[in-house]
Amino acid sequence: MTQVLVQRTADAALRTRAASVIPGGMYGHMNAAGLPEAYPQFMTRGEGSRVWDADGNEYLDFMCGWGPIVLGRKDPVVEAAVRAQLELGDLLDGPSPVMVDLAELLVELVPHADWAMLAKNGTDATTACVSIARASTGRRKVLVATGAYHGAIPWCTPRPGGVLPEDRAHLGYFDYNDVASLEAAVAEAGDDLAGIIVSPVRQELARDQEMATVEFARAIRTVCDRTGAVMILDDVRCGFRLDLGGSWEPLGVQPDLAAWSKAIANGYSLAAITGRDGLRSAASSIYVTGSFWYSAVSMAASMATLTQLRDTDALARMAASGQRLRDGLAAQSAAHGFVTTQTGPVQMPLLRFADDDAGSTLARTWTNEAVKRGVYLHPVHNWFLSAAHTSDDIDLALERTDDAFAELARLARQG
């Protein structure tokens, strides 16, 4: 039986302080208020495949900062590049030459890319893509999959607060992986269709992830070619973790524009937009910028991250570790009498219980027990693996998740 973590005094004190100076005590996707009781709110450090909370508890980390950590925390090559750039400067009065280096690297790595623009986060990138599509076509309508997440500003946020009907007046909706639904949305948009934005994988909270079918991906490409609309791949969550050229490269489908962030710089804040040559003029015509968009340190971190992903077996190691975890969890859940599903890419897994209720009670109880035992998972959001997750890490995590399944079974027997 693995030791169960109980110390939470520092975290509790920080939550109390935060409640008086931060709206809601915390906001956004890292707000732990809605998570089970064992989840800490505040973390103090990370290294490799592990993180530590404010009380000093250590966790095997399967959220990776919600995706940005792809090589492991404090990767020595990335950190050396960061230190070298810091010696030169970060925010100067003009962009650093590393910006050109990185744009060239992105064009080299991404088959559809003839150019690249850089920003700070995924919402920047998806929003710029939508603007470029409209500028290029002179049209207004953009189609999105129902329930899809493309960022956190009014046109796409999943929360309705502060959002006006006008913010979404020119969005149309289709069902993911449903070609007939897509065609119906295209017909409704008519001659005003500017673009279609889609994620490589359907990823919605508290439901199975759904890999795109080849038929669906090709249908979007065909529709855009037929109508002159712009195909946008939102690769913010999956990009550079599944395939360096883009997450739909294995399907043989390339977008006109792609949005990237998360894994692009191993935890340093950066995003990118890549596009075809025919959209270069439209990209030049829109005004997008920010005081911190030209951070040379983040770009140096990205250069070090992407070259390692290109030149090492990091992607293969992530896939192998993810498969090892998936196989182990499947065996454990069956052994303890639970029917579970595991969906999505093995590098970005999610486990759900077949008989769970609308509140994901089984998932929440099981992940709570895992967190108590030092394995940081999430009950309803997909997890992430990094190249720092070794076979030994996976085996240790599985020892602890087995105990969590055993405790879940014990609680179920009690009624």
Side-chain angles (χ1 to χ4, degrees), residues 217-250:
R218 289 179 178 172
I220 295 176
R221 180 68 273 168
T222 298
V223 163
C224 289
D225 291 341
R226 184 181 77 228
T227 63
V230 177
M231 178 181 170
I232 304 166
L233 188 65
D234 177 354
D235 226 348
V236 168
R237 193 181 300 193
C238 301
F240 303 124
R241 194 172 243 105
L242 308 185
D243 190 294
L244 280 186
S247 297
W248 274 2
E249 278 296 301

Side-chain angles (χ1 to χ4, degrees), residues 106-328:
L106 288 167
V107 169
E108 172 195 324
L109 293 176
V110 179
H112 81 262
D114 295 309
W115 52 264
M117 299 170 68
L118 300 171
K120 292 311 290 180
N121 59 57
T123 301
D124 295 337
T126 57
T127 302
C129 285
V130 167
S131 296
I132 292 168
R134 286 171 168 156
S136 173
T137 62
R139 306 170 188 171
R140 299 173 296 174
K141 304 296 184 184
V142 173
L143 303 184
V144 301
T146 302
Y149 180 81
H150 294 295
I153 56 175
W155 79 266
C156 56
T157 178
R159 300 286 180 87
V163 177
L164 303 176
E166 293 86 348
D167 293 322
R168 304 185 183 193
H170 297 295
L171 294 184
Y173 298 91
F174 58 89
D175 295 330
Y176 197 90
N177 265 344
D178 187 328
V179 175
S181 174
L182 171 70
E183 290 285 3
V186 170
E188 184 174 354
D191 294 336
D192 205 17
L193 180 61
I196 301 172
I197 184 168
V198 63
S199 299
V201 179
R202 181 178 185 171
Q203 296 162 312
E204 297 175 34
L205 294 181
R207 63 178 297 163
D208 288 345
Q209 297 184 89
E210 188 176 344
M211 305 291 285
T213 64
V214 174
E215 179 190 21
F216 175 67
R218 289 179 178 172
I220 295 176
R221 180 68 273 168
T222 298
V223 163
C224 289
D225 291 341
R226 184 181 77 228
T227 63
V230 177
M231 178 181 170
I232 304 166
L233 188 65
D234 177 354
D235 226 348
V236 168
R237 193 181 300 193
C238 301
F240 303 124
R241 194 172 243 105
L242 308 185
D243 190 294
L244 280 186
S247 297
W248 274 2
E249 278 296 301
L251 302 184
V253 176
Q254 294 180 357
D256 301 308
L257 293 171
W260 312 81
S261 192
K262 290 198 182 288
I264 195 171
N266 201 48
Y268 288 87
S269 54
L270 190 70
I273 304 100
T274 54
R276 298 187 185 277
D277 198 51
L279 295 167
R280 188 188 300 264
S281 177
S284 299
S285 74
I286 67 169
Y287 187 76
V288 288
T289 192
S291 296
F292 300 99
W293 280 30
Y294 303 91
S295 164
V297 166
S298 294
M299 295 176 193
S302 182
M303 287 291 297
T305 300
L306 296 180
T307 52
Q308 284 193 84
L309 292 175
R310 179 192 65 190
D311 298 340
T312 71
D313 64 346
L315 291 179
R317 282 186 281 122
M318 269 186 284
S321 294
Q323 190 63 56
R324 190 182 190 95
L325 179 65
R326 178 166 289 188
D327 292 344

Side-chain angles (χ1 to χ4, degrees), residues 25 53 57 59 79 99 127 163 207 281 289 297 318 324 328 333 337 351-352 365 368 374 380 388 402 414:
D53 68 20
N57 296 308
Y59 304 86
E79 296 307 306
M99 184 175 187
T127 302
V163 177
R207 63 178 297 163
S281 177
T289 192
V297 166
M318 269 186 284
R324 190 182 190 95
S333 62
L351 181 144
R352 297 182 66 243
T365 303
N368 194 52
V380 294
D402 193 49
Q414 288 183 342

